[in-house]
Amino acid sequence: MSEECCLACDNPRLASRCPVSLRFGEPVGRILRAFPVVALLGALMVGFPIGENKSAHGVPTWTVLTDIATANSPEEGDLAVSTDGSLVHSVWRANVGGGYQIQSARYSSATWSDVTTHTSGSVSAYDARIFSSHDGSTVTLTWTMTGPSFNRDIYVASSNDSGATWTSPVRLSNSSYSSGAQIIDGSSNGTIQYVSWNEWNGSGWYVKIAKSSNSGVSWSAATTLSDAGVDARGGIAVSDDGATVHVIWRRLVSSKYQTESTSSTNSGSSWSTPQIHSDTAIRTHVFEPRIASSSDGTVVYATWLEGSTTEVTVQQSSDSGVSWGASDTPGTGSRQQLSPSVVVSEGGSIAAVSWSETDGSKFLARVAVYASGSPTSFTLSEAGQTVEAPVLTSSGDGSTIAVAWVRPDGANDTVQAAISSDSGSSFSVQTVVSSGVNQYSPDLVAARDGSSTFATWSSSGEGIKFAKFSEPSVSSGGSSSASAGVPGIYLSVNGVLLGKQVQGSPVYYGADRVAVTSTYVLTVTKVSNVAPSVVTLAEGTIGADGSFSSMVRLPELAPGTYNVRMSGTHTNGATLQLTSQVTVGSGVFTSIGANIPVIR
């Protein structure tokens, strides 16, 4: 075997160039020899992480799209996206008319709308946050604004026509005192919305909350949730029906801060006695509490920093916050950690926590993925440079998890991101943008259906940028490698998915220089003694160069054994078939068997 071929066999994607090797679902690096005729099938790639796909076909990438805003020194962008990714809303602040004003726009059909300016006059508006319903039709903005009285107040403005028109700004806080650190969330249809913030009353800081029951048109008077002594931003999580709400904060008690939360299961009509999450026996300081919940509000994850090394601490509840399990620490014990964020899947079976952590010299981006309650931690950024605070997002089912951060490249600060398309089993790290100016303040949001992930950030002197992450997709053609070897088809049911949730898991498939204009089909069939039920996952016609690469996500599968099968046609007319047999139990993979090649 030539040196070139040996190198190809060490790479799951390039193994298709090796005419005498096949990959039968074994661990990476274990190669089985086969008869030369079977090599017509190309590589049987099982278990290659998305980050290892180095082929010319279907490499997942970030694409920088049209700028969100460039005029009047815009900054502090925030995003919200509809379930299917077809509608994106953005809010930011810009220096207009002698003051910092709040502006917004929407993105659809590859175009940004005209900018709407929501404030005016000699004001300083900042820290804008955005919420949208799942379909993107209902949108609410909230921000902090300082006016002529120099007190800071919390405002909201809402739209019920996808951002085409807006209500006038409404003040939620008490204008006699200062407020800040507001957070917002709401029901899936946008009818019920909550804004929480910290407010001074003349003698102490308290957590307040206001509710809208008519899509942001009007708001209730504020309710006080905490005792005095709160400080800094907390977190909020709202169930899809708007009935269950969780709010978390930190509060100064006996000269030490502690993490507290409260919950409501009746749409904010009443609230539980605040729970204390942090270690009151040791009484160390806590920082940056955050909270997230499943779509029904039952499964809840809380995270915060605690201790002299500010260690990321995580606690879970499975009964809507009534009781909480023991806390765990997914980071490296003695190393300082900062800036935690948390997300939870709709069903509550997957959660992720991101943070930055020192390696003794620089701060690195890290993430812990919780499947069935247990964490697996990853270091995402390279050593040698310190990252800014990472931001975190996920799709509704948790199959897509994304983390973004800013990291110097030696000349300027760049935006980087790590994406997992297999529920956090593996991550692909890429540079979203690197240019001749500094980038800062990234935000990240994934469509609920996992079809797309969007990022925004500020670019020094250039405005607010916007990018979209694209998975591999079927194309009518694609360039083949100059060192192309044996043609064939390929199929990958990722071996690292064993024990993971089936619904939403990715299946990678494609062809390399097979019969032009021939058809392909990818199916999943339950193994049964009765007439099998065949579900078509993907089908189409091969393009002009006979090659393509793509990914599709599995539907929910009942317990049983299934054949995931890719079929195509060789240039000599032979039918090529690859089958990966998998077993499903209680919604997760219990086995992922060897790929079986057939030529007819």
Side-chain angles (χ1 to χ4, degrees):
M1 189 180 297
S2 69
E3 180 181 356
E4 178 181 347
C5 191
C6 289
L7 290 173
C9 291
D10 286 334
N11 186 299
R13 179 64 184 95
L14 297 180
S16 63
R17 312 306 182 200
C18 185
V20 294
S21 65
L22 296 175
R23 193 172 295 273
F24 288 95
E26 299 298 319
V28 172
R30 181 175 175 182
I31 305 297
L32 300 183
R33 299 297 177 90
F35 297 109
V37 66
V38 182
L40 288 169
L41 292 168
L44 309 188
M45 299 186 301
V46 175
F48 79 88
I50 188 172
E52 292 184 18
N53 184 358
K54 305 297 185 181
S55 72
H57 311 301
V59 177
T61 58
W62 283 94
T63 302
V64 178
L65 304 174
T66 306
D67 291 349
I68 297 177
T70 57
N72 303 306
S73 303
E75 60 184 10
E76 298 181 6
D78 194 25
L79 293 178
V81 64
S82 61
T83 292
D84 62 2
S86 63
L87 187 60
V88 182
H89 296 279
S90 181
V91 64
W92 64 93
R93 78 168 191 164
N95 193 346
V96 180
Y100 275 99
Q101 315 296 343
I102 299 300
Q103 297 185 324
S104 68
R106 69 183 184 277
Y107 182 84
S108 62
S109 302
T111 304
W112 282 102
S113 69
D114 292 338
V115 172
T116 298
T117 302
H118 299 272
T119 56
S120 62
S122 299
V123 299
S124 178
Y126 57 96
D127 197 21
R129 305 286 165 135
I130 191 168
F131 160 80
S132 80
S133 58
H134 287 185
D135 65 2
S137 63
T138 298
V139 194
T140 295
L141 315 176
T142 181
W143 64 91
T144 301
M145 188 164 68
T146 302
S149 68
F150 298 104
N151 284 332
R152 295 172 291 154
D153 287 310
I154 308 301
Y155 286 83
V156 292
S158 299
S159 171
N160 287 295
D161 53 11
S162 303
T165 61
W166 293 84
T167 63
S168 298
V170 174
R171 177 176 50 79
L172 300 181
S173 57
N174 184 346
S175 61
S176 299
Y177 301 101
S178 282
S179 300
Q182 77 282 359
I183 45 182
I184 185 170
D185 200 4
S187 61
S188 60
N189 63 7
T191 301
I192 301 176
Q193 301 177 26
Y194 300 86
V195 175
S196 179
W197 67 93
N198 298 343
E199 183 174 299
W200 177 256
N201 73 348
S203 59
W205 286 93
Y206 294 80
V207 175
K208 302 281 186 173
I209 195 166
K211 173 187 171 185
S212 173
S213 299
N214 54 9
S215 303
V217 174
S218 61
W219 293 81
S220 70
T223 297
T224 301
L225 300 182
S226 73
D227 289 334
V230 299
D231 179 29
R233 190 186 309 280
I236 188 170
V238 178
S239 61
D240 277 0
D241 63 4
T244 302
V245 192
H246 307 282
V247 183
I248 194 168
W249 61 85
R250 76 166 189 164
R251 190 170 72 89
L252 186 65
V253 179
S254 301
S255 302
K256 297 284 186 179
Y257 283 101
Q258 63 188 32
T259 303
E260 299 178 352
S261 73
T262 183
S263 302
S264 173
T265 56
N266 54 12
S267 303
S269 295
S270 61
W271 295 86
S272 65
T273 301
Q275 294 262 9
I276 300 174
H277 295 268
S278 50
D279 192 333
T280 57
I282 298 177
R283 302 292 298 168
T284 57
H285 279 304
V286 301
F287 304 89
E288 300 183 76
R290 303 290 183 261
I291 201 164
S293 74
S294 57
S295 60
D296 63 1
T298 301
V299 178
V300 195
Y301 278 71
T303 185
W304 63 92
L305 301 174
E306 183 169 353
S308 58
T309 57
T310 60
E311 189 171 11
V312 172
T313 306
V314 180
Q315 203 170 25
Q316 305 171 37
S317 171
S318 58
D319 55 10
S320 302
V322 174
S323 61
W324 294 82
S327 60
D328 66 86
T329 51
T332 306
S334 61
R335 296 178 178 175
Q336 186 179 12
Q337 297 150 40
L338 301 171
S339 308
S341 294
V342 60
V343 293
V344 178
S345 65
E346 293 171 328
S349 61
I350 298 172
V353 176
S354 67
W355 69 95
S356 63
E357 179 181 303
T358 182
D359 63 358
S361 174
K362 305 292 184 181
F363 279 89
L364 308 181
R366 301 204 69 199
V367 67
V369 179
Y370 288 75
S372 303
S374 300
T376 301
S377 297
F378 301 83
T379 299
L380 302 177
S381 62
E382 294 182 3
Q385 297 287 353
T386 287
V387 302
E388 290 185 7
V391 290
L392 174 68
T393 189
S394 75
S395 59
D397 63 2
S399 59
T400 296
I401 301 172
V403 185
W405 60 88
V406 169
R407 181 181 185 274
D409 63 2
N412 297 102
D413 292 342
T414 65
V415 178
Q416 295 183 328
I419 298 279
S420 173
S421 298
D422 53 15
S423 303
S425 295
S426 60
F427 285 83
S428 170
V429 179
Q430 296 172 328
T431 297
V432 181
V433 62
S434 178
S435 67
V437 298
N438 287 327
Q439 319 296 323
Y440 58 98
S441 301
D443 186 42
L444 198 61
V445 62
R448 201 174 181 92
D449 67 0
S451 61
S452 51
T453 302
F454 297 92
T456 184
W457 65 94
S458 295
S459 182
S460 182
E462 297 179 342
I464 298 178
K465 302 292 184 177
F466 182 58
K468 179 181 179 180
F469 180 79
S470 299
E471 291 280 12
S473 59
V474 175
S475 62
S476 59
S479 59
S480 296
S481 170
S483 60
V486 176
I489 61 174
Y490 62 87
L491 169 69
S492 170
V493 182
N494 200 322
V496 297
L497 293 173
L498 191 63
K500 304 296 185 182
Q501 180 176 308
V502 173
Q503 184 177 10
S505 290
V507 175
Y508 294 89
Y509 63 100
D512 190 3
R513 292 163 295 121
V514 297
V516 173
T517 71
S518 64
T519 59
Y520 68 89
V521 62
L522 177 66
T523 60
V524 58
T525 305
K526 188 170 185 179
V527 178
S528 174
N529 292 327
V530 298
S533 174
V534 181
V535 176
T536 299
L537 299 177
E539 58 183 334
T541 301
I542 304 294
D545 74 345
S547 303
F548 78 93
S549 179
S550 191
M551 184 275 286
V552 67
R553 297 186 186 279
L554 288 171
E556 182 179 4
L557 298 177
T561 301
Y562 295 83
N563 287 329
V564 181
R565 178 169 295 157
M566 172 66 176
S567 299
T569 304
H570 191 264
T571 52
N572 67 3
T575 297
L576 309 178
Q577 192 176 89
L578 294 176
T579 302
S580 176
Q581 192 167 94
V582 302
T583 304
V584 177
S586 302
V588 301
F589 288 104
T590 58
S591 72
I592 299 176
N595 279 303
I596 303 170
V598 173
I599 300 174
R600 294 184 299 188

